Amino acid sequence: MSTQVERIVIAGAGQAGATVAFGLRKAGFDGSITVIGDEAHLPYERPQLSKEMLNLEKGEHRPIRSQEDYEAQSIQLELGARLTRVDADGRQVLLDDGRKVGYDRLVIATGVKPRQLSGPFDHTGRACYLRTVEDARRLREDIRSGRPLAIIGGGVIGLEVAAAARAAGCHVTVIEAGERLMSRSVDEIASAYLDRAHRRDGVDIRYGASAVELGEDGQLKLSDGSVVPAQSLLVGIGVTPNIQGFEHLGITDTAGVLVDGHGRSPIGSIYATGDIASQPHGQGHGRIETWANAQDHALNLVKNLLGEDVPYQSPIWFWSDQGKINLQVVGNANQGKRFIRGDEHGDAFVVFRLDDERRVTGCTTINSPRDMAVARRWVKQGVRVDPQRLVDPVTPLRDCAI
Ligand SMILES: Cc1cc2nc3c(=O)[nH]c(=O)nc-3n(C[C@H](O)[C@H](O)[C@H](O)COP(=O)(O)OP(=O)(O)OC[C@H]3O[C@@H](n4cnc5c(N)ncnc54)[C@H](O)[C@@H]3O)c2cc1C
């Protein structure tokens, strides 16, 4: 690393921020590292919020690393501190308590926050969102109470919560404005499976409807005129980027902080990673809101911060656990020619997507995690396959590549 980089400041004490900090030390960086986070907790991974933390038999959340680890690695943690503005010319950040922290390199890892449902539909203050430990604790108490739960949004968060609440015996209604579940990230076949599986589990699913008003009596009026019980209410309708404090820099777009394939923003001393990064990927440019991106992009960024020149090239991959359902997606699940391995009306099957040259460009596995391990490799390496063998579940996957 060039000698003048002695101070690295990381804005956002979440998964990506912590990964960069420890990654820098592991790679031998011996300058100062300061991680600034507005939550009171040590950085933690969020997937546990909608899974383990909503399982009434499991415990509290776990941080990624302990306080002692930060001390041992000389990583300065400023928790409960909010970055309010960046002075890019003076290379310093301003915190909400008035302090200024100077940097040679700034890494923005501030993530996203839940999109709020607008309008006067909730006079009761009962609606909750799910992004933080506090949100998960509150939702867990709602679930523990056994009261009927309405969930606005049939995306990943809504469906994971639906499964957890059903496991605890709650009456659950999912209200989806569109025509199918998880439409942003899976295709019609996987959506149809999710619909079947959640209904079988007792979830009431309403499509093409939105929330109009939540009454004091816990009845939620929908736009189609129907009414559903909502003594508890979760809103999971997407997210918006945490770009406050960076907007004046001219490095943001509607998705987040603009970065190139190396994680660099248009200002050379500023980088971004994790959910906040509006980055190039196989399907264009934008945010990638996944655990794997917060991990792998952050680790790749460490190399570039330390003077290497390594573009980030991992295909998008994520998983979702919805009760007994394990769903995973790699690459683009919505484009390309579709080939289905296994019975799409059963409980375990795989949907492959191939381009015109029979290269695997996307894959969705339903309760077939082992096949995903192969598919991830294929998508990453652009492997070509024989479609006829692919759709024959008796032929081992390894024999399908050509
Ligand atoms: C409930 C839930 C379940 C999930 N499940 C899965 C899953 O099963 N599989 C999967 O692949 N992905 C999952 N994800 C997505 C994954 O957790 C995220 O992609 C990941 O957390 C992104 O990490 P990050 O560090 O970019 O952001 P975060 O972990 O959100 O960290 C950003 C931090 O920055 C802080 N911050 C924001 N603004 C400021 C500021 N101005 N000053 C200081 N601090 C600030 C935030 O409060 C936050 O603490 C899930 C997410 C949620 C919410």
Side-chain angles (χ1 to χ4, degrees):
M1 164 167 267
S2 63
T3 45
Q4 67 270 31
V5 178
E6 289 165 357
R7 302 165 303 166
I8 296 182
V9 168
I10 300 167
Q15 183 191 341
T19 303
V20 170
F22 283 96
L24 282 167
R25 284 287 182 251
K26 194 167 180 208
F29 176 67
D30 60 3
S32 78
I33 303 174
T34 308
V35 185
I36 299 160
D38 61 1
E39 292 186 74
H41 308 281
L42 289 169
Y44 55 92
E45 294 180 353
R46 293 183 201 275
Q48 60 189 320
L49 304 183
S50 52
K51 302 173 184 71
E52 290 85 349
M53 275 196 77
L54 299 186
N55 180 332
L56 300 183
E57 277 150 33
K58 292 203 175 162
E60 251 295 329
H61 81 289
R62 283 192 317 205
I64 297 169
R65 303 289 283 258
S66 68
Q67 180 75 44
E68 294 72 41
D69 289 339
Y70 288 89
E71 286 162 13
Q73 300 283 318
S74 299
I75 296 168
Q76 177 79 23
L77 262 184
E78 298 290 348
L79 297 180
R82 185 165 183 73
L83 181 155
T84 53
R85 197 170 173 85
V86 177
D87 168 8
D89 294 332
R91 293 204 176 173
Q92 57 182 3
V93 300
L94 183 66
L95 307 191
D96 54 356
D97 59 8
R99 276 182 297 160
K100 292 175 178 159
V101 186
Y103 66 82
D104 300 313
R105 294 287 180 268
L106 172 64
V107 177
I108 301 175
T110 47
V112 293
K113 56 175 174 287
R115 185 185 300 282
Q116 306 285 305
L117 200 58
S118 57
F121 91 100
D122 177 19
H123 304 285
T124 67
R126 209 180 303 133
C128 55
Y129 295 81
L130 184 54
R131 186 76 198 174
T132 64
V133 161
E134 287 73 20
D135 294 339
R137 286 180 186 151
R138 181 179 162 192
L139 189 57
R140 186 170 60 189
E141 289 320 302
D142 279 351
I143 290 175
R144 196 191 300 281
S145 76
R147 292 190 296 259
L149 171 69
I151 298 172
I152 302 176
V156 177
I157 303 275
L159 295 178
E160 291 195 0
V161 173
R166 280 301 302 141
C170 300
H171 180 283
V172 177
T173 313
V174 170
I175 300 133
E176 166 55 48
E179 290 171 353
R180 60 185 183 89
L181 299 173
M182 279 183 70
S183 60
R184 269 199 321 141
S185 37
V186 300
D187 73 1
E188 298 81 1
I189 302 277
S191 291
Y193 166 74
L194 291 172
D195 179 89
R196 257 194 337 271
H198 283 288
R199 281 187 196 281
R200 193 172 56 202
D201 217 28
V203 179
D204 181 0
I205 305 174
R206 311 287 180 97
Y207 293 103
S210 50
V212 175
E213 191 179 6
L214 179 61
E216 291 291 345
D217 56 356
Q219 298 299 312
L220 180 64
K221 278 193 201 137
L222 303 185
S223 52
D224 62 7
S226 63
V227 173
V228 300
Q231 273 73 23
S232 304
L233 180 65
L234 172 78
V235 180
I237 54 169
V239 293
T240 57
N242 288 323
I243 50 172
Q244 304 75 12
F246 316 117
E247 283 152 304
H248 64 289
L249 298 172
I251 59 170
T252 54
D253 63 6
T254 51
V257 175
L258 268 172
V259 294
D260 63 16
H262 292 71
R264 272 186 306 249
S265 83
I267 298 178
S269 56
I270 301 180
Y271 295 70
T273 187
D275 282 3
I276 189 69
S278 178
Q279 61 188 99
H281 54 72
Q283 297 152 45
H285 199 109
R287 279 196 311 268
I288 303 177
E289 300 155 22
T290 67
W291 178 95
N293 185 65
Q295 198 71 18
D296 299 342
H297 188 272
L299 287 175
N300 192 73
L301 183 61
V302 165
K303 295 182 193 157
N304 294 325
L305 282 167
L306 296 179
E308 289 184 57
D309 191 24
V310 190
Y312 180 66
Q313 284 171 329
S314 291
I316 296 173
W317 169 70
F318 74 92
W319 83 95
S320 172
D321 290 321
Q322 302 170 15
K324 289 187 191 124
I325 305 166
N326 173 265
L327 173 146
Q328 298 189 40
V329 175
V330 64
N332 192 335
N334 270 314
Q335 259 175 24
K337 202 154 182 225
R338 184 160 55 201
F339 294 91
I340 300 170
R341 184 177 168 91
D343 177 8
E344 68 176 278
H345 302 291
D347 279 316
F349 62 93
V350 182
V351 184
F352 285 99
R353 293 287 188 158
L354 270 53
D355 68 10
D356 292 342
E357 276 150 27
R358 295 186 283 173
R359 268 190 291 266
V360 182
T361 53
C363 176
T364 305
T365 58
I366 302 292
N367 300 319
S368 310
R370 277 199 190 159
D371 290 347
M372 179 49 73
V374 179
R376 285 180 73 183
R377 189 159 39 78
W378 283 354
V379 172
K380 185 161 190 171
Q381 297 171 355
V383 168
R384 293 173 67 227
V385 293
D386 177 345
Q388 275 181 345
R389 283 187 240 158
L390 199 60
V391 296
D392 171 17
V394 178
T395 306
L397 269 189
R398 63 174 180 279
D399 295 338
C400 299
I402 49 178

